[in-house]
């Protein structure tokens, strides 16, 4: 039996991470520690998570014509990712993210898109065959929205399942939502999409129904340490709890969850088993620092799950 194929399209960044006791107020300087430079970007993080989980994955992205872009592509190859659809953009720098992490493991992030802005509709026309041959396409919103829309339209045309992680939080058109099979917002992103604050399970259910009404079959709202709210069209929604761990850095938790979730689904796991698998991957990631350095390998996830019984 052939292995199901995954296409991920999205951003690549270099993360500059500084740990602080607390986030500074405007005009305030806070002394930091444990400065770290690591590879990140939502698209790349999710691709790495899928690659390390064992997915057959091709990544569609852009990097700058700089040393860091070359180094990132080499590293992605080591993470079991097909990098043939990553373009190097002449005269452009690789994307950059400036990240502060507080003592609770929370983060605030500023981004310079750099080469990510060059992932245009014209660019992905060259890679339509990757989307056509994939069984699933995983998307995020750190690249131009018109590119995300076109990729989703291509996927729909070729009967490729569309999974959208609508991050970072922003408005998304009903046209794009109508092309999505599975959506995975966090609470903030869900509120942006629906106008409904996720204060409890009732509100989570209302937000999920809003998204179902726009044509999305499966809604998974991530709730941080509480787990996720799973809602499938026509079924009663419910919380699927995560694994309790001591978080030290949540930077790539959502990305790890998404990459692992899609990998599990492509392996034929049912939705509950795929979520449990993704919860395990994310639980490991939050106990480590950085974005891609925190993402676990398949053997680590399997061992974690075996310990849970």
């Amino acid at each position: 039996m052939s292995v199901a194929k995954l296409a991920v399209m999205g951003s690549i960044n270099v993360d500059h991470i500084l740990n602080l006791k607390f986030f500074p107020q405007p005009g305030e300087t806070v002394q930091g520690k444990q400065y770290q430079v690591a590879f990140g970007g939502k698209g790349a993080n999710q691709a790495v998570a899928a690659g390390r989980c064992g997915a057959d994955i091709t990544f569609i992205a852009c990097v700058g014509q700089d040393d860091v872009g070359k180094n990132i592509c080499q590293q992605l190859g080591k993470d079991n990712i097909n990098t043939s659809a990553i373009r190097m953009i002449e005269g452009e720098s690789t994307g950059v993210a400036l990240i502060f992490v507080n003592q609770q493991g929370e983060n605030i992030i500023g981004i310079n898109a750099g080469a990510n802005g060059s992932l245009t509709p014209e660019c992905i026309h060259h890679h339509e065959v990757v989307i056509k041959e994939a069984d699933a396409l995983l998307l995020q919103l750190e690249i131009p929205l018109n590119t995300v829309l076109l990729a989703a339209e291509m996927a729909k045309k070729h009967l490729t399942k569309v999974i959208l992680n609508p991050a970072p939080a922003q408005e998304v058109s009903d046209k794009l939502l109508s092309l999505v099979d599975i959506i995975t917002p966090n609470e903030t992103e869900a509120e942006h999409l629906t106008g409904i604050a996720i204060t409890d399970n009732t509100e989570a259910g209302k937000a999920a129904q809003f998204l179902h009404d726009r044509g999305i079959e499966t809604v998974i709202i991530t709730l941080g340490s509480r787990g996720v709210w799973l809602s499938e069209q026509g079924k009663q929604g419910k919380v699927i709890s995560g694994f309790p761990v001591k978080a030290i850095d949540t930077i790539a938790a959502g990305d790890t969850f998404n990459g692992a979730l899609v990998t599990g689904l492509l392996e034929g796991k049912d939705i509950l088993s795929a979520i449990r698998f993704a919860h395990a991957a994310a639980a490991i990631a939050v106990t480590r620092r950085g974005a891609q350095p925190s993402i676990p390998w398949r053997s680590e996830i399997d061992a974690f799950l075996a310990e849970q019984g």
Side-chain angles (χ1 to χ4, degrees), residues 8-10 59-63 83-90 115-131 143-144 146-148 150-151 154:
V8 176
M9 188 181 79
F59 185 26
I60 304 169
C62 292
V63 294
T83 60
S84 61
I86 298 178
R87 295 185 65 183
M88 190 167 285
I89 306 301
E90 185 177 352
N116 294 314
S118 297
L119 191 54
T120 60
E122 292 74 26
C123 178
I124 65 163
H125 275 298
H126 298 288
H127 304 302
E128 183 169 358
V129 68
V130 174
I131 296 172
I143 57 174
N146 55 351
T147 307
V148 175
L150 177 59
M154 286 179 177

Side-chain angles (χ1 to χ4, degrees), residues 43-239:
N45 294 344
Q46 293 178 20
V48 168
R52 292 183 186 175
C53 282
D56 181 350
I57 171 180
T58 300
F59 185 26
I60 304 169
C62 292
V63 294
Q65 196 175 46
D66 47 26
D67 288 342
V68 73
K70 295 173 187 173
N71 292 339
I72 286 172
C73 289
Q74 289 174 358
Q75 180 57 51
L76 291 172
K78 294 175 183 176
D79 289 321
N80 299 330
I81 296 166
N82 181 337
T83 60
S84 61
I86 298 178
R87 295 185 65 183
M88 190 167 285
I89 306 301
E90 185 177 352
E92 189 57 87
S93 61
T94 299
V96 173
L98 305 177
I99 304 173
F100 287 154
V101 182
N102 69 10
Q103 283 186 317
Q104 286 71 48
E106 300 168 325
N107 60 73
I108 54 175
I109 305 173
I111 290 174
N112 175 50
N116 294 314
S118 297
L119 191 54
T120 60
E122 292 74 26
C123 178
I124 65 163
H125 275 298
H126 298 288
H127 304 302
E128 183 169 358
V129 68
V130 174
I131 296 172
K132 177 182 178 181
E133 293 179 351
D135 295 278
L137 171 67
L138 176 57
L139 299 163
Q140 326 76 34
L141 304 178
E142 280 185 343
I143 57 174
L145 273 178
N146 55 351
T147 307
V148 175
L149 176 60
L150 177 59
E153 289 173 335
M154 286 179 177
K156 216 64 177 174
K157 180 175 74 173
H158 297 300
L159 305 180
T160 299
K161 189 177 290 288
V162 177
I163 300 93
L164 175 64
N165 175 228
Q170 55 189 284
E171 289 185 17
V172 175
S173 69
D174 284 353
K175 184 177 181 182
L176 174 56
L177 294 177
S178 72
L179 299 167
V180 173
D181 297 291
I182 302 173
I183 195 164
T184 61
N186 64 19
E187 292 155 293
T188 302
E189 293 148 7
E191 184 175 353
H192 261 78
L193 292 172
T194 68
I196 299 168
I198 313 297
T199 54
D200 56 27
N201 291 350
T202 300
E203 299 307 302
K206 289 177 182 177
Q209 189 58 52
F210 179 98
L211 295 167
H212 289 318
D213 290 344
R214 271 125 192 96
I216 300 174
E217 178 69 25
T218 303
V219 178
I220 300 173
I221 303 174
T222 58
L223 307 171
S225 60
R226 289 208 300 129
V228 303
W229 177 266
L230 168 65
S231 181
E232 297 175 279
Q233 185 75 284
K235 297 182 182 180
Q236 181 70 37
K238 58 184 174 181
V239 171

